[in-house]
C-alpha cells in the first residue's frame, strides 16, 4: 500500500509541464514568433520526456509497494497519472460564444469545443488576472461532476493552443465577438477541451451512421440531413433572495419582508439601471425550477422573449437565435424545425416550448418513447395596460416535490441549495485568507473527495471500481459547500435534439440506451440529450460580490418602484 508521503511524491511528479509552469514575464513575448516557436518546441520535448520519466517512477513505486495486490496498487496510483495534453492548431478553431470568464471555440471536426480563459486587456503585459491552474480545474471538474448523474456532465481534457502569434489570433476573434466583451481577451495558451454538445453524441445515431463514421477516410460528422438543434439555457438561482438574510448584514432585504423577488428578478433592475439591458425579462427561474408544467412553459416563453445571455438556439453548431437577433429569426427557425405541417407560428411555438419543457423534466433512466405527450397551452401575454403587473409580481417559492429526482433541473437545484444552507453560517474572513491563491480551496476539496473514494472502495469489499453514489458534502466545511454550490448558480443546460423521421427502421436501429432518449409529443418523436456545462470553480471573492450585488439589486428595484409610483 502506498504511504501518504508516496502519494505526495506522485502528485508532484504528475505535473504536466506546459500546464503547470508559469513563464516569467520578460520571457513571454507573444510578438516574437521565433522565440515563441522555440519555446513551444522546447516545452513539448520536456513534457514528453517527463511523462516517460514519470511512467518509470510509477512502475518503480508499484514494484516496491508492499502489502497490496497488483490491482489495488494500480487503483491507488492511477489517479496521479498526468492528464493527456492535446494540442489544437489555431486554424481548426471557429468562434462559438463567450461569457464573462471564458471564450468558447468550436473545432472544425464538429466534435469538440475549446474553452479558453480570458483576462483584462489592461493586463496584457503581465500575468493573466483570471488564471486558474488547469490541472486544478480538472480536479474540480471531477468533484463537481460527482454531484450529478454521469449522463449530464462530460469529462474535460487539457488542451494547448498552437498559435504563431497570440495577439494576431485575438485580433482575428474580435470580428466575431460582442462589443461589450472586448475588454477581455485570451492571454493563456492552455484551455479545456470538451465534447461539442451542440451535436448529439454518435452513440445516439442509428447503427448504419455509426458504422459509416468508422471509416477513417470519412468525417465522423453525421450526414447533413440529420438537422440537429441545441438550446442553451442559463437557469440561474432557483430560490428566493431574502430566505437566508436573517444572519448576514443585508439591510436592503431584511428591512423589507414584502420584497418577495428572487435574485435573478431583482438583478434585472440593476441591469436596467446600468443600461446593460433594454427591458425587464419576464423570465423567473423559480417558474423553471417549480417542475409544474404550466410554470415551466411560462419560464421558457420568458427566456425566448428576452434571451439576454440566458437563452440561445443553435442549428448544426451555429447560433441562429439569441439576444442579438430579431424575434423573426426565432419564427424562421421554428418553420425549419416543423416544415410543411400547416401550423401557425403560435402553434409551432407551443410545440417548441412544450418540447423543451418535456426534456427539462425528463428522467433519462426510463424509457417513455411510447408515451405521447399532449400539448399544454398558456395564456397570451397581458395587454399593455397591465404591463406594470410584471414589476409587482412576486416570485413563488419552489417545492422540489414536483421535480423528478433524476432530471437536470432537480440536480442543479440540489447543488445550488448548498449556498442557501451555508451562506448564513460561514465566516467571510475565512474566504479571504489566501488572496494570492483564490482557488487554493480546490486542493482541499479534491483531497477530501479522493479520501472518500478510497474509503468507499477499500472498505473490505475488495471492489476496484469507483462507487456511483455522489460525493457526500457532509465531508466539506461550510465554506467549501458554498464554493461548490456557487458553481451551480451560474451553470448552463444544453438541450440537444433532432426530429426522428418516423421511419420504424430508424428507431429499430437505435440501441437500448438510446431509446431512453426519445421524447414523443403530439405524434412527433425527437431524439434528445441534456448536458450541464459551465461548471467552473468560483474564486474566494464570489461571496463578497454575491452579497454586494444582491444588496445593490434590491436598492435598484426599490428606486425603480418609487419612480413608477410617482
Amino acid at each position: 500500500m502506498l504511504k501518504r508521503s508516496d502519494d505526495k511524491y506522485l502528485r508532484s511528479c504528475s505535473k504536466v509541464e506546459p500546464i503547470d509552469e508559469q513563464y516569467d514575464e520578460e520571457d513571454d513575448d507573444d510578438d516574437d514568433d521565433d522565440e515563441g516557436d522555440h519555446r513551444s518546441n522546447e516545452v513539448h520535448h520536456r513534457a514528453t520526456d517527463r511523462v516517460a520519466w514519470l511512467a518509470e517512477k510509477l512502475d518503480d513505486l508499484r514494484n516496491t509497494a508492499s502489502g497490496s495486490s497488483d490491482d489495488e496498487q494500480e487503483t491507488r496510483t492511477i489517479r496521479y497519472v498526468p492528464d493527456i495534453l492535446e494540442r489544437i492548431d489555431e486554424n481548426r478553431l471557429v468562434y462559438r460564444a463567450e461569457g464573462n470568464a471564458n471564450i468558447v471555440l468550436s473545432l472544425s471536426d464538429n466534435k469538440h469545443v475549446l474553452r479558453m480563459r480570458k483576462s483584462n486587456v489592461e493586463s496584457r503585459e503581465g500575468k493573466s488576472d483570471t488564471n486558474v491552474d488547469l490541472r486544478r480545474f480538472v480536479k474540480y471538474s471531477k468533484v463537481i461532476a460527482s454531484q450529478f448523474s454521469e449522463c449530464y456532465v462530460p469529462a474535460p481534457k487539457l488542451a494547448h493552443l498552437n498559435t504563431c502569434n497570440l495577439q494576431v489570433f485575438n485580433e482575428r476573434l474580435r470580428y466575431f465577438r460582442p462589443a461589450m466583451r472586448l475588454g477581455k481577451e485570451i492571454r493563456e495558451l492552455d484551455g479545456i477541451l470538451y465534447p461539442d454538445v451542440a451535436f448529439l453524441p454518435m452513440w445516439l445515431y442509428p447503427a448504419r451512421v455509426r458504422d459509416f463514421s468508422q471509416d477513417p477516410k470519412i468525417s465522423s460528422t453525421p450526414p447533413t440531413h440529420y438537422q440537429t438543434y441545441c438550446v442553451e439555457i442559463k437557469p440561474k438561482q432557483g430560490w428566493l433572495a431574502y430566505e437566508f438574510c436573517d444572519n448576514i448584514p443585508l439591510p436592503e432585504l431584511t428591512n423589507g419582508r414584502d420584497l418577495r423577488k428572487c435574485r435573478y428578478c431583482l438583478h434585472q433592475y440593476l441591469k436596467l439601471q446600468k443600461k446593460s439591458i433594454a427591458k425587464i425579462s419576464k423570465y423567473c427561474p423559480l417558474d423553471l425550477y417549480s417542475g409544474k408544467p404550466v410554470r415551466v412553459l411560462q419560464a421558457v416563453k420568458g427566456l425566448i422573449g428576452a434571451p439576454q445571455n440566458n437563452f440561445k438556439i443553435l442549428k448544426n453548431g451555429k447560433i441562429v437565435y439569441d439576444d442579438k437577433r430579431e424575434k423573426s429569426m426565432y419564427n424562421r427557425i421554428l418553420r425549419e424545425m416543423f416544415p410543411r405541417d400547416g401550423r401557425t407560428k403560435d402553434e409551432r411555438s407551443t410545440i417548441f416550448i412544450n418540447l423543451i419543457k418535456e426534456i427539462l423534466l425528463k428522467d433519462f433512466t426510463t424509457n417513455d418513447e411510447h408515451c405521447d405527450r399532449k400539448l399544454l397551452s398558456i395564456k397570451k401575454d397581458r395587454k399593455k395596460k397591465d404591463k406594470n403587473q410584471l414589476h409587482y409580481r412576486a416570485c413563488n417559492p419552489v417545492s422540489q416535490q414536483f421535480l423528478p429526482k433524476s432530471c437536470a433541473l432537480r440536480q442543479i437545484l440540489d447543488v445550488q441549495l448548498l449556498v442557501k444552507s451555508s451562506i448564513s453560517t460561514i465566516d467571510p474572513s475565512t474566504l479571504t485568507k489566501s488572496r494570492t491563491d483564490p482557488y487554493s480551496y480546490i486542493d482541499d476539496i479534491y483531497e477530501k473527495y479522493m479520501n472518500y473514494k478510497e474509503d468507499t472502495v477499500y472498505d473490505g469489499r475488495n471492489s476496484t471500481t469507483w462507487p456511483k453514489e455522489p460525493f457526500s458534502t457532509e465531508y466539506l466545511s461550510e465554506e467549501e459547500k458554498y464554493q461548490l454550490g456557487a458553481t451551480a448558480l451560474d451553470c448552463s443546460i444544453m438541450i440537444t435534439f433532432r426530429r426522428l423521421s418516423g421511419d420504424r427502421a430508424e428507431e429499430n436501429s437505435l440501441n437500448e440506451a438510446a431509446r431512453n432518449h426519445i421524447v414523443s409529443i403530439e405524434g412527433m418523436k425527437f431524439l434528445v440529450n441534456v448536458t450541464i456545462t459551465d461548471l467552473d470553480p468560483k474564486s474566494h471573492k464570489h461571496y463578497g460580490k454575491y452579497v454586494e450585488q444582491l444588496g445593490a439589486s434590491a436598492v435598484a428595484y426599490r428606486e425603480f418602484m418609487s419612480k413608477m409610483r410617482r
Side-chain angles (χ1 to χ4, degrees):
M1 188 71 66
L2 294 180
K3 298 178 182 178
R4 178 63 61 181
S5 59
D6 294 330
D7 290 350
K8 292 181 179 178
Y9 172 71
L10 279 169
R11 284 197 295 273
S12 68
C13 292
S14 64
K15 296 177 182 178
V16 180
E17 200 79 318
I19 294 296
D20 196 59
E21 180 178 50
Q22 296 297 331
Y23 303 115
D24 294 335
E25 314 301 338
E26 57 269 25
D27 293 334
D28 191 11
D29 185 357
D30 294 316
D31 295 324
D32 192 334
D33 294 347
D34 294 333
E35 180 183 344
D37 291 342
H38 170 75
R39 185 179 64 204
S40 176
N41 291 332
E42 180 184 352
V43 169
H44 173 67
H45 291 308
R46 286 206 309 269
T48 304
D49 294 341
R50 195 178 185 93
V51 169
W53 171 82
L54 173 60
E56 294 178 5
K57 291 297 182 183
L58 288 173
D59 288 338
D60 292 342
L61 281 167
R62 291 192 183 104
N63 292 332
T64 57
S66 60
S68 59
S69 65
D70 291 342
D71 289 342
E72 186 177 0
Q73 290 169 22
E74 182 178 358
T75 304
R76 284 287 190 173
T77 58
I78 194 71
R79 70 180 183 178
Y80 305 114
V81 175
D83 295 280
I84 297 174
L85 183 66
E86 186 161 340
R87 297 184 172 274
I88 308 296
D89 186 85
E90 63 177 307
N91 295 320
R92 297 172 60 195
L93 297 171
V94 178
Y95 178 84
R96 168 71 63 81
E98 66 184 285
N100 184 52
N102 298 280
I103 289 180
V104 179
L105 307 168
S106 62
L107 272 67
S108 54
D109 62 4
N110 288 341
K111 292 190 296 183
H112 296 89
V113 294
L114 180 65
R115 297 183 72 221
M116 305 290 291
R117 299 288 293 183
K118 299 191 298 184
S119 300
N120 290 326
V121 172
E122 290 78 5
S123 65
R124 183 176 295 173
E125 301 303 324
K127 201 173 183 179
S128 168
D129 59 334
T130 58
N131 184 52
V132 179
D133 181 335
L134 294 186
R135 276 188 315 106
R136 247 185 204 164
F137 188 102
V138 172
K139 285 182 178 180
Y140 185 80
S141 296
K142 294 177 181 177
V143 179
I144 192 67
S146 72
Q147 301 301 300
F148 301 95
S149 295
E150 189 176 357
C151 65
Y152 291 132
V153 185
K157 293 181 181 179
L158 299 178
H160 184 83
L161 172 64
N162 278 345
T163 177
C164 297
N165 190 315
L166 182 58
Q167 195 51 42
V168 172
F169 183 71
N170 273 309
E171 290 299 324
R172 181 158 63 92
L173 290 180
R174 287 178 67 91
Y175 291 102
F176 307 97
R177 299 176 58 198
M180 62 176 289
R181 299 291 188 184
L182 296 180
K184 292 184 177 182
E185 63 185 7
I186 297 172
R187 301 308 312 155
E188 301 288 335
L189 295 179
D190 299 320
I192 302 291
L193 194 67
Y194 289 96
D196 189 347
V197 295
F199 296 89
L200 290 170
M202 188 56 64
W203 64 271
L204 281 178
Y205 282 87
R208 63 179 181 276
V209 177
R210 297 198 304 273
D211 296 340
F212 184 77
S213 68
Q214 297 305 310
D215 189 334
K217 298 179 182 179
I218 302 174
S219 169
S220 60
T221 303
T224 54
H225 64 273
Y226 287 105
Q227 300 288 0
T228 305
Y229 296 91
C230 180
V231 173
E232 178 183 355
I233 292 176
K234 277 190 172 293
K236 297 299 186 178
Q237 181 174 303
W239 38 277
L240 283 170
Y242 72 86
E243 293 180 318
F244 61 85
C245 294
D246 289 336
N247 299 316
I248 64 172
L250 202 57
E252 294 86 355
L253 292 177
T254 55
N255 291 341
R257 284 301 186 185
D258 59 331
L259 189 61
R260 301 184 64 85
K261 289 280 187 181
C262 71
R263 178 191 175 209
Y264 176 85
C265 290
L266 279 177
H267 193 211
Q268 287 287 295
Y269 295 90
L270 183 60
K271 285 185 172 183
L272 188 68
Q273 189 180 77
K274 294 181 177 181
K275 297 182 179 180
S276 60
I277 59 173
K279 63 178 182 178
I280 300 295
S281 172
K282 294 179 180 179
Y283 168 66
C284 176
L286 271 62
D287 288 337
L288 194 71
Y289 287 107
S290 71
K292 293 185 176 182
V294 173
R295 288 184 66 183
V296 175
L297 292 177
Q298 291 283 9
V300 176
K301 186 176 180 180
L303 285 167
I304 294 169
Q308 297 185 15
N309 196 40
N310 305 310
F311 184 86
K312 296 183 180 72
I313 300 178
L314 296 86
K315 177 185 177 183
N316 296 330
K318 295 182 180 179
I319 297 175
V320 291
Y321 181 69
D322 59 4
D323 59 343
K324 303 170 192 64
R325 291 165 175 79
E326 298 293 331
K327 185 67 177 293
S328 58
M329 286 301 300
Y330 167 71
N331 293 321
R332 182 184 302 178
I333 294 303
L334 293 189
R335 286 198 300 271
E336 295 177 4
M337 284 185 192
F338 312 109
R340 300 183 300 276
D341 56 9
R343 292 183 173 92
T344 66
K345 67 176 183 180
D346 288 340
E347 289 171 338
R348 293 192 191 100
S349 184
T350 298
I351 295 172
F352 176 71
I353 63 176
N354 271 267
L355 175 62
I356 299 304
K357 180 259 296 180
E358 290 296 333
I359 300 175
L360 286 171
L361 300 179
K362 181 169 175 54
D363 179 352
F364 286 94
T365 64
T366 61
N367 185 330
D368 54 2
E369 60 177 307
H370 301 299
C371 182
D372 191 42
R373 306 291 184 181
K374 300 302 180 183
L375 293 180
L376 292 179
S377 298
I378 53 177
K379 295 179 181 179
K380 290 188 176 182
D381 294 336
R382 295 176 180 272
K383 296 180 180 179
K384 290 186 177 180
K385 66 178 182 179
D386 297 324
K387 65 180 180 179
N388 290 341
Q389 292 298 319
L390 171 66
H391 308 299
Y392 289 100
R393 182 186 67 182
C395 301
N396 297 321
V398 168
S399 175
Q400 291 170 267
Q401 63 179 336
F402 297 105
L403 278 175
K405 190 172 183 179
S406 296
C407 77
L409 285 174
R410 172 65 180 271
Q411 296 194 11
I412 291 173
L413 182 60
D414 286 344
V415 181
Q416 286 188 0
L417 290 174
L418 291 173
V419 171
K420 183 179 176 181
S421 64
S422 61
I423 194 170
S424 60
T425 61
I426 61 177
D427 179 2
S429 64
T430 62
L431 296 175
T432 58
K433 285 182 179 178
S434 181
R435 290 184 178 276
T436 58
D437 191 0
Y439 298 94
S440 59
Y441 71 89
I442 294 177
D443 296 331
D444 295 332
I445 291 180
Y446 185 73
E447 187 69 17
K448 293 177 180 179
Y449 166 74
M450 294 307 296
N451 287 339
Y452 167 79
K453 291 290 190 182
E454 289 177 352
D455 292 343
T456 306
V457 172
Y458 297 96
D459 62 354
R461 292 176 296 177
N462 296 321
S463 172
T464 57
T465 58
W466 294 136
K468 293 188 179 297
E469 296 83 7
F471 169 48
S472 176
T473 56
E474 67 184 33
Y475 292 87
L476 302 180
S477 68
E478 294 301 312
E479 291 76 19
E480 290 167 342
K481 290 178 183 177
Y482 174 88
Q483 296 292 160
L484 206 62
T487 293
L489 293 178
D490 215 26
C491 68
S492 296
I493 302 176
M494 307 295 287
I495 301 169
T496 315
F497 62 92
R498 71 175 181 87
R499 186 172 174 179
L500 293 174
S501 63
D503 181 5
R504 289 298 303 175
E506 179 183 10
E507 292 183 38
N508 292 336
S509 66
L510 298 174
N511 59 48
E512 186 176 349
R515 293 177 183 275
N516 290 350
H517 287 251
I518 293 178
V519 170
S520 180
I521 184 168
E522 285 291 308
M524 296 173 287
K525 290 190 175 182
F526 299 85
L527 201 58
V528 308
N529 195 46
V530 172
T531 313
I532 301 172
T533 63
D534 297 341
L535 294 171
D536 299 348
K538 304 298 181 183
S539 80
H540 68 274
K541 297 179 181 179
H542 186 275
Y543 172 87
K545 291 181 177 179
Y546 180 96
V547 174
E548 180 182 356
Q549 184 193 83
L550 191 55
S553 298
V555 170
Y557 172 69
R558 290 188 179 176
E559 289 178 354
F560 178 91
M561 295 300 289
S562 177
K563 291 178 182 178
M564 195 176 71
R565 294 188 187 105
R566 292 173 187 170

